[in-house]
């Protein structure tokens, strides 16, 4: 009993400090709102419910990530683009494709202006999942600049791609190397293998700020053949800084 009283006295003391000399009342009945307060609260709730998360999937392929994402969260509107016109047409023919939930278009991120399809500063989150590695290192910054223009201030790009010395890099045959950490596959597609330092410099040179940038080390096991394959990925998050956007708005250099 003494312990309960002590706890009650402590809570009362904290409340008195926080509320100064304000009147306090204990009880088990909830507070009754005035008609004006109830109306204001209802408006606030409706506004929150109507809010949607706008996503850009750069390099959407045939929609293997896009459609599960839209099914999972009904408050998402997605922009999705891909270099391949065939992939874009495949997405549009999917039974789940709905122009009220997503807009899909063909785009070369290094040449085609995203502003032709997406309003400036309108995207809450952009994804670059195994996309940047297929672009020539000299042109990667162009893709990042393109995305930067449509990303809201304070919002992020989510990145995942091949890391240096991933098993896929070690499997390339002689004659496949195009440049430092840059290779070409037999089908003509290319693959770059990132270091965290290179990626950080790449994003920050465009104007992003680093939030997370780390290696993910995994091991793929083929029990039938008794093989253990080391996989190395780079998983990162870079943000469009609010400060830079504010300075740009007010014309501050």
């Amino acid at each position: 009993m003494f312990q309960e009283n002590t706890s009650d006295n402590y809570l009362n003391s904290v409340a008195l400090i926080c509320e100064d000399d304000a009147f306090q009342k204990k009880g088990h009945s909830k507070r009754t709102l005035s008609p004006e307060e109830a109306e204001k609260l209802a408006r606030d709730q409706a506004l929150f419910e109507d809010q949607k998360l706008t996503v850009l999937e750069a390099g959407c392929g045939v929609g293997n990530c896009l459609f599960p994402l839209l099914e999972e969260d009904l408050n998402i509107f997605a922009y999705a683009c891909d270099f391949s016109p065939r992939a874009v047409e495949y997405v549009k023919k999917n039974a789940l494709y709905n122009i009220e939930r997503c807009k899909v278009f063909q785009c070369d991120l290094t040449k085609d202006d995203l502003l032709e399809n997406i309003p400036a500063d309108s995207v809450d989150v952009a994804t670059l999942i195994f996309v940047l590695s297929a672009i020539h290192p000299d042109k990667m910054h162009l893709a990042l600049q393109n995305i930067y223009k449509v990303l809201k201030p304070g919002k992020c790009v989510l990145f995942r791609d091949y890391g240096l010395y991933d098993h896929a890099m070690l499997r390339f045959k002689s004659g496949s190397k195009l440049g430092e950490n840059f290779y070409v596959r037999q089908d003509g597609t290319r693959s770059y293998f990132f270091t965290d330092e290179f990626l950080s410099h790449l994003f920050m040179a465009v104007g992003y700020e680093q939030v997370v940038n780390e290696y993910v080390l995994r091991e793929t096991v083929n029990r039938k053949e008794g093989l253990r394959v080391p996989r190395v990925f780079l998983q990162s998050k870079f943000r469009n800084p609010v400060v830079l956007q504010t300075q740009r708005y007010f014309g501050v250099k």
Side-chain angles (χ1 to χ4, degrees):
M1 188 66 179
F2 173 78
Q3 186 174 3
E4 288 183 1
N5 290 336
T6 303
S7 299
D8 287 342
N9 290 336
Y10 174 75
L11 290 174
N12 288 335
S13 299
V14 172
L16 286 171
I17 293 172
C18 295
E19 299 290 340
D20 296 325
D21 295 326
F23 172 74
Q24 296 185 79
K25 180 180 178 181
K26 291 184 178 181
H28 296 286
S29 61
K30 64 181 181 181
R31 180 189 171 197
T32 302
L33 296 177
S34 68
E36 293 79 10
E37 290 173 327
E39 182 181 356
K40 179 181 181 301
L41 187 59
R43 285 201 308 268
D44 291 342
Q45 289 175 337
L47 177 63
F48 180 80
E49 291 170 358
D50 289 340
Q51 287 179 339
K52 288 186 177 293
L53 183 71
T54 301
V55 175
L56 166 61
E57 186 183 1
C60 63
V62 296
N64 291 336
C65 176
L66 174 66
F67 292 117
L69 186 66
L70 293 175
E71 285 188 295
E72 180 70 23
D73 192 336
L74 298 179
N75 284 322
I76 287 179
F77 180 88
Y79 292 101
C81 63
D82 199 272
F83 179 81
S84 168
R86 291 184 61 187
V88 171
E89 287 304 312
Y90 193 90
V91 171
K92 290 182 176 180
K93 291 178 181 178
N94 192 299
L96 296 174
Y97 182 65
N98 182 353
I99 59 174
E100 295 182 357
R101 299 287 319 282
C102 60
K103 180 179 181 179
V104 181
F105 55 97
Q106 190 276 333
C107 179
D108 180 344
L109 289 170
T110 67
K111 294 192 301 184
D112 302 326
D113 194 346
L114 285 174
L115 293 176
E116 294 178 2
N117 288 281
I118 307 174
D121 303 335
S122 65
V123 172
D124 294 293
V125 58
T127 61
L128 274 173
I129 311 298
F130 296 101
V131 173
L132 207 59
S133 57
I135 298 175
H136 194 285
D138 292 344
K139 295 185 177 181
M140 289 179 182
H141 70 284
L142 299 175
L144 299 184
Q145 288 173 349
N146 210 355
I147 294 172
Y148 189 91
K149 293 183 292 185
V150 300
L151 196 62
K152 289 180 181 178
K155 302 304 181 179
C156 295
V157 175
L158 305 182
F159 173 94
R160 186 179 174 94
D161 219 318
Y162 300 107
L164 187 66
Y165 305 139
D166 177 65
H167 181 68
M169 179 179 179
L170 305 180
R171 290 182 59 193
F172 279 106
K173 297 179 180 179
S174 177
S176 299
K177 190 172 184 179
L178 299 175
E180 186 178 3
N181 304 333
F182 192 43
Y183 295 80
V184 61
R185 301 185 182 91
Q186 290 183 345
D187 62 1
T189 59
R190 298 169 297 183
S191 186
Y192 185 87
F193 296 85
F194 292 91
T195 64
D196 55 350
E197 296 91 350
F198 177 84
L199 188 70
S200 178
H201 175 76
L202 190 66
F203 270 89
M204 295 178 71
V206 172
Y208 295 87
E209 62 181 10
Q210 181 174 305
V211 180
V212 177
N213 188 28
E214 58 191 12
Y215 291 103
V216 176
L217 306 179
R218 300 181 60 184
E219 188 177 65
T220 301
V221 179
N222 186 326
R223 300 184 186 281
K224 184 177 180 180
E225 298 184 11
L227 297 176
R228 293 180 177 271
V229 177
R231 303 309 309 267
V232 183
F233 305 111
L234 201 58
Q235 188 163 294
S236 312
K237 183 177 180 180
F238 292 89
R239 181 165 47 215
N240 183 353
V242 176
V243 175
L244 291 181
Q245 290 288 343
T246 304
Q247 290 176 343
R248 184 188 306 169
Y249 178 81
F250 287 104
V252 178
K253 294 183 179 180

